[in-house]
Amino acid sequence: MSATTASPTKTNTSEIGQQIRNNFQTYALVVAMLVLWFLFFFLTNGIYLSAQNFSNLFRQMTITAVLSVGMVLVIVAGHIDLSVGRLAGFVSVVVAYLQAYTWNKYMPGAPEWFTTSLSVLCGLGVGTLYGVLHGYIIGYLRVPAFITTLASMWILNGLILIRTAGRTIPANQPLFSYIGQGYLPAMAGWILAIIVAILLFIQMFNGRQRRVKYGFTLAPFYQDILKTAFLAAIVFGYVGYVNAYSGVQVPVLILAIIAVIVSYVSNNTRFGRYTYAIGGNREAARLSGISIRQNTFAIFVLMGFLCGVSGVIIASYVGYGTIAAGTSYELFAIAACILGGTSTLGGVGTIFGAMIGALIMASLTNGLQIMNVQAAWQYVVSGVVLVAAVYVDMALKKSRG
Amino acid sequence: MENNVILEFKNVTKKFPGITALDDVSFSIRRGEIHGICGENGAGKSTLMKILSGVYPWGSYEGQVIYEGHELKLVDRSIHQAGQEGIAIVYQELTLVPSITVGENIYLGKEPVEFGVINWDKLYADTQQVLDKYHLDVPARGIVRHLGVGKMQMTEIAKALAENAKVLILDEPTSALAEAEIEQLMEILRGLKQHGVTCIYISHKLEEFFKITDSITVLRDGKTVITRPARELNVEALVHNMVGREMKERFPKGNRKPGEVILEVEDLHAIDPEDPSYEVLKGVSFNLRRGEILGIAGLMGSGRTELVMTLFGEYGKINKGKIKLNGREITVPNSREAMLQGISLVPEDRKMHGLVLIQSILRNISLANLDQFSSLFRINDSAELKVSTDFAKSLAIKASNLNAPADSLSGGNQQKVVISKWLMSQPKVLIMDDPTRGIDVGTKYEIYKIMNDLSEKGIAIIMISSELEEVLGMSDRVMVMREGRSVGTLDIAEATQEKIMALATGIASQPIPER
Ligand SMILES: Nc1ncnc2c1ncn2[C@@H]1O[C@H](COP(=O)(O)OP(=O)(O)OP(=O)(O)O)[C@@H](O)[C@H]1O
Ligand SMILES: [Mg+2]
């Protein structure tokens, strides 16, 4: 058989094969993560995968993972953002300051839900506004992102020092702490899982209907059912296991919602598609009538917003605002993206990959901590693993063609 | 007899996932000859050459390549190894570094060094020697970016020859060249033959084979159809062997009825965005009617591409003149604005301006047209797939499926993707800058038919082409440009190659290069 003319009707097996081939890298990454888990499981006599540590592990990854959700798009579009750690840190300090002093001073006796919401909104607002500034400078004034965000890193560093004046600012009010430290009641967790499963199935049926409407042959029904059931099973499994400790972690829930939405946006909206096209070939994208300025602007606004989210979680999780908040998180976020298959050349990368990347990094740190490895050596091991992982990934890619 | 053969393919088969690019290819090439290879887009020509140059190393294909009496076993990433064996290749797509000089490009990766420091004098002396030996008229110290496509092509050849090549492969060297430059290239090749270099020559411009080659091999669907001496063949026979059927005419008859004027350009002047002191367009005026095909002819560097890029809002800054669409004066600050006004452009350079090579065929086709498939936010991916598939089918894009990345396509099929993308945008004015570059005769015919269809529907088309025959075959009127000016518009009834050349060169009684 020689080449055939393109036809999407030739689906089924070949399409699944193609899908697996396309996502090979991601699967390899998931496997790597599972291997890592089992390794630590044995090295720590099982403590590592206990419900408690499992729950902690996921919670620990959220802060940098939220940042890497946005960082994927930034890198895919061919930019970089070095300021996200400091911006998140700045937001956390601002929010802590509001929680500790401002509301008490100007609105004594205001209900806690009100002040907390206000703090969160302010945090998100500060992050987003800063993103707007970045978007304007990088998108419209065309100052390279590397320089702009490097400058921001210093500026924010200064702002943090000014705001904290070297002290820590307490932010440990119960409701506020719930954002970064809280758990959903077991029942709520289960209900959530059921809702997610239902949505997954609805999504699958809708997809099939759409394909029928446009006259495409469908993958066999059992295949789609199996695929969806598998995803649902993972959700139930996860909820079950974290319920065995304290329940679904609130920050992880926030992360999941953000990752799903942004991932959807990156595949199914013009904004997302344009981002990948710009990163893949800027000139071709421009000549296709894409406004590169607008798109760049939007990317950095989104990145700023996510820094806001991350900053709020930091303040709530740590319980206070400090000068050190968010230091070098940008590097963790970037590393998670690269580990997850995002190309530094732009044009390639997925949110899902970055999430796995972030999880691997958190798994490593967490495992080494449990094993009581000295902090110094944790750094060394993390560095070595990072380079090794990216090398293996590249080698795998090359061996396949 | 045996010693006469320098290169032999024995049952060469090369498979890619989902596609067999070469299927049991066998033929041989004699020492010192110019051997032509032709075939439709995706027939496997470039793939076969990439086996020769080591891009696809020994072991990644089945069968044998016998070179100078021994089996050629190139290892992974062995472009240098092929070079040492005396096999040099000029790829279908130019591979020069635009920001450095000709000499630096020619010796890139093999610079002459003394104590680890590059000996620049030697490098440029050697460069000059190579250029002189093969009569290549290129400045050794010229920056590549500032050269025309023709000179870039010569630089590529010099680069290939710098290592004393015995076999030189040229993959579609003329697809980007104009007639005069093609003639120059032919001259260079004849010179090479005198130096005893064996050439493998790939092209879609079939007439060229009969000017230059000694024998010709035709590939179809990855199989060898024939290998014959050129004098036993003619263009019709080649076409017949390539497409497997008779083709009576090269240009389909349209039933075009040009209507009222839709686009008017009056005395347009524009300056080079990179060099504000230089005026690229020095007065261009023309009009375009609904349902008409206007051909633009001119030599390389006459400002044709610059003109259409300016109309599309993506090149020069307009400093004088007017553009009117439907009688209303418009400004086009960028391509997005141009598209909103109903102007689309199929760019000349598919790799740089047309495609996102790492993305799938599907995403490339739909990229400029996502508005069509989007409700407020969401892209309807089923509609996207459906419409894209229809276009891919009507242009016979040859691929395992639409999710394959664009860079896995053959050159001609990539061009078809670019064309699909812009046809889908349903413009009022469609500008096509050398749309059939690198496309085989059969598909050219399909594209011409589509152009006819579009113009019958009332779309106005501007077509730039470096092939005069194509301009004459497809246009209703021909506008000729010279040195940034429009120097005349001919009705198709009165247009001849002679008249066009006379206008293009500015020499009234210019004798026409024989064809
Ligand atoms: N890297 C690749 N991966 C998958 N398929 C490929 C790859 N390279 C080439 N092909 C396929 O192999 C076939 C032959 O391609 P090739 O580039 O040799 O064609 P060609 O004869 O040079 O065509 P053209 O005249 O358009 O340049 C095509 O169908 C192409 O899609
Ligand atoms: Mg080719």
Side-chain angles (χ1 to χ4, degrees):
Chain A
M1 193 213 72
S2 135
T4 46
T5 295
S7 79
T9 37
K10 222 187 79 199
T11 42
N12 302 356
T13 50
S14 73
E15 186 169 281
I16 286 181
Q18 175 88 27
Q19 262 178 22
I20 291 181
R21 243 179 282 130
N22 288 350
N23 298 324
F24 176 82
Q25 215 185 348
T26 327
Y27 297 135
L29 209 60
V30 172
V31 171
M33 183 187 72
L34 293 177
V35 169
L36 195 67
W37 283 4
F38 279 106
L39 199 69
F40 278 126
F41 178 78
F42 290 113
L43 289 174
T44 61
N45 297 322
I47 303 173
Y48 187 69
L49 288 183
S50 67
Q52 179 182 358
N53 194 55
F54 187 76
S55 176
N56 282 339
L57 176 63
F58 273 82
R59 208 183 47 192
Q60 281 170 2
M61 89 169 215
T62 49
I63 293 168
T64 47
V66 169
L67 295 176
S68 48
V69 169
M71 191 63 82
V72 170
L73 296 185
V74 169
I75 298 179
V76 161
H79 299 288
I80 192 77
D81 191 336
L82 298 174
S83 69
V84 294
R86 291 275 76 183
L87 181 52
F90 178 64
V91 169
S92 78
V93 169
V94 169
V95 171
Y97 190 87
L98 294 173
Q99 282 291 106
Y101 307 119
T102 315
W103 308 143
N104 288 337
K105 190 165 161 198
Y106 296 104
M107 294 187 281
E112 202 186 351
W113 66 264
F114 181 71
T115 53
T116 306
S117 314
L118 220 51
S119 299
V120 171
L121 284 181
C122 289
L124 300 183
V126 169
T128 310
L129 273 181
Y130 209 95
V132 168
L133 187 67
H134 272 166
Y136 178 73
I137 296 176
I138 298 165
Y140 287 82
L141 303 185
R142 304 217 198 134
V143 180
F146 186 90
I147 289 300
T148 310
T149 59
L150 184 67
S152 283
M153 199 168 136
W154 292 334
I155 294 169
L156 288 162
N157 219 2
L159 293 180
I160 291 174
L161 283 173
I162 294 169
R163 185 71 287 175
T164 58
R167 283 163 309 186
T168 50
I169 307 167
N172 47 9
Q173 302 74 2
L175 186 59
F176 183 70
S177 299
Y178 188 72
I179 301 170
Q181 303 177 18
Y183 297 94
L184 294 187
M187 195 39 120
W190 286 122
I191 293 174
L192 193 68
I194 292 170
I195 293 175
V196 170
I198 292 175
L199 287 179
L200 282 172
F201 276 97
I202 290 179
Q203 154 98 346
M204 178 204 54
F205 282 114
N206 276 346
R208 286 179 73 89
Q209 262 170 14
R210 260 205 324 277
R211 292 184 68 102
V212 169
K213 193 175 134 202
Y214 286 94
F216 296 126
T217 38
L218 295 169
F221 195 44
Y222 75 91
Q223 247 176 30
D224 277 351
I225 293 267
L226 272 181
K227 231 160 71 183
T228 316
F230 180 69
L231 290 178
I234 290 181
V235 173
F236 276 102
Y238 179 84
V239 170
Y241 204 49
V242 293
N243 271 353
Y245 177 57
S246 294
V248 172
Q249 317 88 313
V250 174
V252 174
L253 181 61
I254 296 173
L255 169 66
I257 293 172
I258 288 175
V260 167
I261 292 178
V262 178
S263 185
Y264 184 85
V265 164
S266 75
N267 280 313
N268 299 292
T269 65
R270 277 164 285 183
F271 164 68
R273 291 286 188 85
Y274 291 169
T275 303
Y276 282 83
I278 291 171
N281 183 347
R282 212 180 156 81
E283 286 304 298
R286 206 162 49 94
L287 288 174
S288 300
I290 294 169
S291 167
I292 293 184
R293 297 193 241 184
Q294 278 174 20
N295 217 78
T296 309
F297 182 76
I299 290 170
F300 279 95
V301 173
L302 176 65
M303 186 73 249
F305 172 79
L306 293 175
C307 289
V309 175
S310 179
V312 171
I313 299 178
I314 293 176
S316 162
Y317 178 59
V318 184
Y320 40 79
T322 70
I323 344 173
T327 311
S328 79
Y329 282 11
E330 63 279 350
L331 300 181
F332 283 98
I334 294 170
C337 294
I338 309 294
L339 201 53
T342 304
S343 160
T344 44
L345 299 176
V348 178
T350 62
I351 311 282
F352 181 74
M355 292 303 95
I356 302 291
L359 190 53
I360 288 183
M361 307 252 300
S363 303
L364 197 63
T365 320
N366 176 291
L368 294 172
Q369 272 164 3
I370 296 185
M371 288 173 61
N372 280 323
V373 175
Q374 286 173 13
W377 285 106
Q378 286 182 27
Y379 281 116
V380 174
V381 174
S382 303
V384 170
V385 169
L386 184 62
V387 173
V390 172
Y391 171 74
V392 169
D393 177 56
M394 276 166 40
L396 275 176
K397 232 193 283 180
K398 212 165 60 197
S399 73
R400 288 181 315 120
Chain B
M1 177 69 208
E2 191 53 35
N3 195 29
N4 255 340
V5 171
I6 187 165
L7 191 64
E8 183 179 6
F9 297 98
K10 276 190 177 166
N11 312 94
V12 175
T13 297
K14 169 78 187 165
K15 295 186 172 119
F16 293 109
I19 247 175
T20 306
L22 294 172
D23 189 358
D24 202 19
V25 168
S26 302
F27 67 93
S28 46
I29 293 172
R30 280 177 296 122
R31 189 181 304 280
E33 74 170 341
I34 299 182
H35 192 106
I37 299 183
C38 65
E40 292 185 290
N41 296 129
K45 305 179 295 293
S46 298
T47 305
L48 191 64
M49 295 308 113
K50 285 179 185 165
I51 284 178
L52 265 189
S53 68
V55 173
Y56 302 130
W58 182 73
S60 71
Y61 57 89
E62 295 152 44
Q64 291 181 314
V65 182
I66 311 289
Y67 173 66
E68 292 282 28
H70 64 274
E71 186 178 359
L72 193 65
K73 292 185 180 173
L74 300 173
V75 291
D76 202 0
R77 271 182 291 164
S78 54
I79 315 296
H80 276 300
Q81 195 189 342
Q84 281 151 16
E85 293 270 7
I87 301 176
I89 182 162
V90 175
Y91 288 103
Q92 187 165 6
E93 320 282 347
L94 295 178
T95 55
L96 299 172
V97 181
S99 55
I100 60 181
T101 66
V102 168
E104 282 174 88
N105 264 291
I106 292 179
Y107 285 98
L108 195 63
K110 36 187 193 275
E111 297 85 355
V113 286
E114 256 166 39
F115 310 114
V117 178
I118 297 179
N119 182 343
W120 291 110
D121 294 332
K122 178 162 167 45
L123 187 145
Y124 285 113
D126 288 355
T127 303
Q128 199 55 52
Q129 213 181 347
V130 176
L131 294 176
D132 289 345
K133 179 171 173 193
Y134 299 107
H135 307 290
L136 299 167
D137 178 23
V138 197
R141 289 171 195 265
I143 301 283
V144 167
R145 188 190 296 119
H146 302 320
L147 305 175
V149 203
K151 301 237 151 134
M152 287 191 195
Q153 192 68 258
M154 289 184 201
T155 309
E156 286 272 9
I157 293 175
K159 185 176 170 183
L161 291 172
E163 277 192 284
N164 287 323
K166 285 194 266 182
V167 177
L168 175 67
I169 302 165
L170 296 151
D171 194 351
E172 296 190 33
T174 56
S175 62
L177 301 187
E179 319 262 331
E181 289 156 315
I182 293 177
E183 208 44 56
Q184 262 178 25
L185 182 78
M186 300 278 158
E187 210 40 61
I188 292 168
L189 292 186
R190 288 184 196 114
L192 288 183
K193 198 169 158 179
Q194 241 119 66
H195 282 90
V197 179
T198 309
C199 277
I200 302 179
Y201 187 87
I202 298 176
S203 180
H204 286 293
K205 300 183 180 171
L206 303 178
E207 293 83 3
E208 289 169 7
F209 286 113
F210 299 100
K211 288 191 199 164
I212 186 94
T213 63
D214 301 301
S215 44
I216 304 174
T217 295
V218 179
L219 290 181
R220 181 162 81 226
D221 288 338
K223 298 189 185 66
T224 20
V225 187
I226 49 163
T227 299
R228 292 255 182 85
R231 64 189 129 73
E232 293 175 15
L233 292 164
N234 55 28
V235 172
E236 287 70 38
L238 282 190
V239 173
H240 181 80
N241 280 297
M242 279 170 65
V243 300
R245 64 189 149 80
E246 242 19 276
M247 268 189 69
K248 291 201 191 61
E249 36 166 31
R250 294 281 283 279
F251 302 100
K253 301 233 167 6
N255 182 23
R256 298 192 293 267
K257 293 191 194 67
E260 75 276 29
V261 169
I262 178 165
L263 182 76
E264 284 165 274
V265 172
E266 286 172 19
D267 196 27
L268 196 69
H269 289 245
I271 44 184
D272 188 334
E274 270 162 30
D275 177 7
S277 64
Y278 180 62
E279 214 179 32
V280 266
L281 299 180
K282 305 176 185 120
V284 177
S285 307
F286 68 93
N287 60 42
L288 178 70
R289 296 167 186 283
R290 215 178 274 281
E292 172 187 54
I293 299 181
L294 174 73
I296 303 185
L299 302 178
M300 286 281 144
S302 59
R304 296 170 302 170
T305 294
E306 288 78 0
L307 168 67
V308 292
M309 287 292 254
T310 304
L311 292 179
F312 197 52
E314 289 292 342
Y315 186 73
K317 194 167 163 298
I318 296 175
N319 56 347
K320 193 175 163 212
K322 281 187 198 143
I323 305 173
K324 284 190 194 164
L325 190 69
N326 284 324
R328 213 164 38 81
E329 187 172 347
I330 59 165
T331 54
V332 270
N334 54 46
S335 54
R336 183 170 182 75
E337 207 52 46
M339 285 175 67
L340 290 175
Q341 313 256 20
I343 303 175
S344 283
L345 175 122
V346 178
E348 180 182 27
D349 186 332
R350 60 174 166 260
K351 216 171 153 193
M352 286 227 305
H353 296 142
L355 293 169
V356 184
L357 283 168
I358 53 173
Q359 288 195 336
S360 68
I361 302 168
L362 173 67
R363 288 206 170 182
N364 270 291
I365 296 183
S366 63
L367 182 60
N369 310 293
L370 290 177
D371 291 349
Q372 286 176 33
F373 306 116
S374 303
S375 44
L376 193 51
F377 290 116
R378 209 180 137 272
I379 294 167
N380 182 341
D381 51 1
S382 300
E384 180 193 5
L385 182 60
K386 174 86 175 82
V387 179
S388 308
T389 307
D390 290 347
F391 273 94
K393 273 200 183 129
S394 72
L395 283 179
I397 293 176
K398 194 172 169 188
S400 54
N401 68 60
L402 290 191
N403 287 319
D407 62 4
S408 73
L409 292 179
S410 77
N413 281 298
Q414 289 179 2
Q415 183 70 19
K416 292 185 207 169
V417 171
V418 181
I419 292 180
S420 308
K421 163 175 159 183
W422 291 107
L423 290 184
M424 198 190 276
S425 69
Q426 299 174 341
K428 290 185 216 142
V429 175
L430 178 63
I431 305 173
M432 307 177 95
D433 193 350
D434 217 352
T436 60
R437 171 193 282 199
I439 285 189
D440 66 51
V441 276
T443 310
K444 268 186 188 167
Y445 193 80
E446 294 306 312
I447 291 174
Y448 298 146
K449 276 211 302 218
I450 290 174
M451 287 169 69
N452 277 339
D453 275 356
L454 292 175
S455 46
E456 277 160 33
K457 281 186 201 134
I459 294 173
I461 298 180
I462 297 177
M463 178 181 69
I464 295 181
S465 173
S466 43
E467 284 181 69
L468 275 183
E469 251 180 83
E470 181 172 85
V471 175
L472 289 170
M474 287 306 294
S475 321
D476 296 303
R477 286 182 303 146
V478 183
M479 175 175 94
V480 185
M481 287 186 69
R482 182 175 74 235
E483 288 165 10
R485 293 188 182 82
S486 52
V487 288
T489 304
L490 303 170
D491 222 61
I492 199 64
E494 49 162 349
T496 59
Q497 296 211 4
E498 289 75 15
K499 282 188 191 163
I500 293 176
M501 284 312 283
L503 283 171
T505 54
I507 305 165
S509 56
Q510 163 83 1
I512 302 306
E514 101 287 359
R515 329 196 83 251

